[in-house]
Amino acid sequence: MTPRRKKWLIASTLVFAVAAGGLIVAAFILAKRVEPYIREQAIQYLRKRFDSEVELARLQVHVPRALPLRLLFHGGRGTLAQVEGTNLSLRHHGRSDVPPILTLKHFSFEVDLGALRDTLKTVNRVTLEGLEIQIPPKGERPRFGSQEFPEETPAANAASGGVVIEEVLVRNARLIILPRDKAKVPLRFDIHDLRLESAGKDVAMKYTAFLTNPKPPGEIHSTGVFGPWAAGEPSDTPLSGEYGFDHADLGIFKGIAGILRSTGKFEGTLSSITVRGEATVPDFRLKRAGNPVSLTTSFEVLVDGTNGNTELKPVVAMLGSSHFTTTGFVVKRDGDTRRTISLEASMPAGNLRDVLMLSMKGSPIMEGTIKLNTTIGIPPLAGKVKEKLLLDGTFEVTNGKFLRSRIQEKINALSHRGQGKTKNEEIDAVVLRMSGEFKMADESLTFRTLAFAVPGAVINIGGLFDMAADKLDFHGALMLDAKVSETQIGWKRWVLKPVDPFFSKRGAGTFLHIKVVGSAKDPQFGLDRGGTSPTEEAEKAGAEKNIR
């Protein structure tokens, strides 16, 4: 080898060594800059995506030891870095006087280092632990100081618009929807497991979620789509899907019990969701009575997520074999600590046994067909539901019959005498009609009118039933087709004929003022002597036994 060739070879080797050394040094420098770069990109992405200031306690990036060489020969392509972070919080528009819109105890993901320089960066999977999202009320536009949130830099815009997360796995999350009134209790939903799948940039993510409903307690499984996230107004973020709600124990509420199952679909935004579905409670019961009756419903409700107000539009239900509908609102107004319930219920042709089975202890005492229309109100007052319950409505019972033989025997006898049938002939079982207008407040049930009719006899009364004191006070009239004398047999029939004209009033053969007093357990029936003269009392004394 000539001296000149030897010098050229040595020089080339030195140049190569210096260049290689420079590349290796550059690779090591780049490797050292990976962590701060990823941290900067992550913060910029979150800041732009959620329109919030980002606080991050710790971010660690675990890279392979051979990263400098991979950067040197492959540009880092195919090299995955493990990224872990803790105690992340996002403050909407940088506002510190309200809770952070998002807090996160721990997160992790993998990123292809060679893809960091791509215009569209893809993250295969992100795992989140201890996520809590607090949605501010619709219409609130938090401000940072006296100015709107500052404009984003081009780098931040690129970070937000150039990242696609293909899958998000969430464990132990909580969604909190804040009310406008800070004194009110927020709505909270605990989410055990949530899986989100992305279909691309600015496209709604598919999700599968398992969560626990607080009241009534039960498990919910839901699938659907969520987003895209509305950074400027989070409560406008779209949400839709299907759900299944199983083993919900209604016993947590006062007065009712049973295990509920519900399925349905929903759509809307985080602030306003329309839900359509069905619910069944095979063993629905009032705790006071304890008799289970099957309850099935199909419903459409509108839920305001910012305050929990609910509009029923309508609920179509079946209680046993009785069909009824309910419409109305469950709302909480400014200044109230509790919700106001305002409903209208209609049962056009219900089975009276179903209603009595639900409301009375033991077996029903009557059967028949009931028509019921009523308003139901529960104002936002302290105390038990029965103390606040407001009712105002009408009812009508047709084809009624008492199922307890002693009561029905008396009804049969009343009808028999009212028709003037006094011979010892067999008494047929009669059916009755009953109707009335009622109003309930302060645990008192007032009947403006209460009409009871069987063949040959009609009773019209009105009055008050004080349920708290178990006290009856009803007054009205008994009208029979037959005259007083015609209700008797033998010599009594002839003795009473002279007084028939005194009791034949208002188109009735016999017209008597009556009263019902005492208690529901021991009602006392008799002639109402209030305001009558001694002569009239004497005249009525002979007929009083006819209605006992």
Side-chain angles (χ1 to χ4, degrees):
M1 181 180 295
T2 63
R4 184 177 179 181
R5 184 179 179 83
K6 186 175 182 180
K7 289 179 181 180
W8 181 85
L9 182 59
I10 292 172
S12 299
T13 301
L14 289 174
V15 171
F16 178 78
V18 170
L23 290 173
I24 292 173
V25 170
F28 272 100
I29 293 173
L30 287 174
K32 290 294 185 180
R33 291 181 177 177
V34 165
E35 180 172 338
Y37 177 77
I38 292 177
R39 179 187 180 92
E40 178 186 1
Q41 291 293 302
I43 290 176
Q44 286 182 349
Y45 170 78
L46 292 170
R47 187 169 183 258
K48 180 64 178 179
R49 188 71 183 86
F50 295 97
D51 203 3
S52 302
E53 281 291 340
V54 180
E55 299 174 6
L56 181 60
R58 184 175 65 91
L59 182 74
Q60 288 183 319
V61 180
H62 305 280
V63 298
R65 292 183 178 180
L67 176 60
L69 295 178
R70 295 187 180 185
L71 287 172
L72 179 61
F73 294 107
H74 303 287
R77 187 72 63 178
T79 303
L80 297 179
Q82 302 286 338
V83 182
E84 291 187 81
T86 56
N87 297 328
L88 169 69
S89 66
L90 305 179
R91 293 192 176 275
H92 193 221
H93 288 193
R95 190 169 166 180
S96 59
D97 60 328
V98 294
I101 190 173
L102 182 150
T103 59
L104 183 60
K105 292 182 178 179
H106 180 268
F107 67 89
S108 63
F109 61 90
E110 291 183 342
V111 60
D112 189 327
L113 296 178
L116 292 177
R117 295 173 296 178
D118 295 345
T119 302
L120 183 63
K121 304 171 184 64
T122 301
V123 178
N124 294 331
R125 175 182 294 178
V126 175
T127 302
L128 310 178
E129 294 280 350
L131 172 67
E132 184 172 283
I133 298 177
Q134 303 203 46
I135 304 298
K138 181 176 176 61
E140 285 196 4
R141 299 284 301 183
R143 294 176 178 270
F144 184 68
S146 61
Q147 301 295 325
E148 285 287 347
F149 199 79
E151 292 294 328
E152 299 295 339
T153 64
N157 283 318
S160 171
V163 176
V164 173
I165 301 174
E166 293 184 341
E167 183 181 37
V168 180
L169 300 180
V170 184
R171 302 286 185 269
N172 300 320
R174 176 179 291 177
L175 174 64
I176 301 175
I177 301 179
L178 301 174
R180 293 186 179 91
D181 185 352
K182 295 181 180 180
K184 296 179 181 179
V185 178
L187 295 179
R188 300 175 185 269
F189 299 90
D190 292 324
I191 304 172
H192 304 308
D193 295 284
L194 173 63
R195 182 174 182 264
L196 296 164
E197 297 180 57
S198 176
K201 178 178 176 293
D202 295 331
V203 178
M205 302 181 76
K206 296 180 181 180
Y207 76 85
T208 301
F210 295 87
L211 60 151
T212 297
N213 192 67
K215 285 186 178 183
E219 298 300 318
I220 298 177
H221 174 221
S222 179
T223 60
V225 293
F226 174 78
W229 179 263
E233 195 67 76
S235 59
D236 284 340
T237 301
L239 176 69
S240 64
E242 300 179 354
Y243 76 90
F245 187 20
D246 288 319
H247 303 99
D249 187 0
L250 299 180
I252 193 173
F253 300 114
K254 293 182 179 180
I256 64 174
I259 302 299
L260 176 144
R261 182 179 185 274
S262 179
T263 59
K265 299 180 179 180
F266 55 91
E267 60 183 355
T269 65
L270 289 175
S271 64
S272 181
I273 303 174
T274 298
V275 184
R276 300 177 181 88
E278 298 180 349
T280 60
V281 188
D283 57 345
F284 182 73
R285 59 193 182 277
L286 301 181
K287 291 179 179 178
R288 185 175 182 180
N291 296 320
V293 181
S294 65
L295 176 64
T296 62
T297 64
S298 60
F299 55 85
E300 178 180 346
V301 299
L302 177 64
V303 181
D304 186 337
T306 63
N307 53 27
N309 290 346
T310 302
E311 179 184 356
L312 286 64
K313 37 184 288 191
V315 175
V316 180
M318 185 73 71
L319 179 69
S321 59
S322 302
H323 174 272
F324 68 96
T325 60
T326 303
T327 59
F329 300 87
V330 180
V331 300
K332 184 183 285 187
R333 298 183 174 88
D334 292 342
D336 293 341
T337 58
R338 293 175 172 82
R339 300 193 185 282
T340 296
I341 298 176
S342 180
L343 305 174
E344 293 185 5
S346 175
M347 181 179 288
N351 187 333
L352 184 59
R353 295 186 65 157
D354 293 332
V355 177
L356 296 179
M357 176 72 76
L358 182 67
S359 58
M360 298 180 62
K361 292 183 179 180
S363 59
I365 64 171
M366 287 183 67
E367 66 180 13
T369 301
I370 181 170
K371 178 181 179 180
L372 175 67
N373 292 283
T374 184
T375 61
I376 303 170
I378 302 178
L381 305 174
K384 298 179 180 179
V385 171
K386 67 179 182 179
E387 297 170 350
K388 302 184 292 180
L389 181 62
L390 304 174
L391 300 176
D392 193 347
T394 62
F395 78 95
E396 180 180 357
V397 174
T398 56
N399 298 318
K401 182 179 179 182
F402 283 92
L403 301 176
R404 297 178 184 177
S405 58
R406 291 187 62 186
I407 299 177
Q408 185 62 38
E409 286 173 3
K410 291 183 177 181
I411 299 298
N412 296 341
L414 173 63
S415 176
H416 198 71
R417 283 179 175 261
Q419 297 175 76
K421 299 178 180 179
T422 56
K423 296 182 180 180
N424 293 325
E425 57 192 46
E426 183 179 353
I427 301 176
D428 297 328
V430 298
V431 295
L432 60 89
R433 302 188 312 277
M434 187 184 302
S435 63
E437 298 179 8
F438 60 89
K439 189 171 185 178
M440 179 176 174
D442 299 323
E443 290 191 89
S444 293
L445 184 60
T446 300
F447 284 91
R448 295 185 288 268
T449 60
L450 181 60
F452 175 92
V454 293
V458 174
I459 297 175
N460 286 318
I461 61 175
L464 178 70
F465 173 32
D466 187 334
M467 294 181 291
D470 190 18
K471 183 178 179 180
L472 298 172
D473 186 18
F474 286 86
H475 301 266
L478 167 65
M479 291 168 282
L480 305 178
D481 291 346
K483 297 179 180 180
V484 170
S485 62
E486 294 173 342
T487 65
Q488 302 298 312
I489 59 175
W491 62 271
K492 293 181 181 180
R493 190 182 186 99
W494 298 102
V495 170
L496 290 176
K497 275 189 175 293
V499 302
D500 281 345
F502 293 100
F503 295 98
S504 297
K505 302 175 182 179
R506 304 183 186 181
T510 302
F511 181 94
L512 299 173
H513 291 283
I514 62 172
K515 63 182 178 180
V516 183
V517 295
S519 67
K521 296 180 181 178
D522 185 23
Q524 302 295 318
F525 301 87
L527 292 178
D528 190 354
R529 303 176 183 276
T532 59
S533 67
T535 303
E536 290 174 325
E537 290 180 0
E539 292 173 342
K540 294 178 182 178
E544 183 174 0
K545 60 185 177 182
N546 293 332
I547 63 171
R548 287 181 176 175

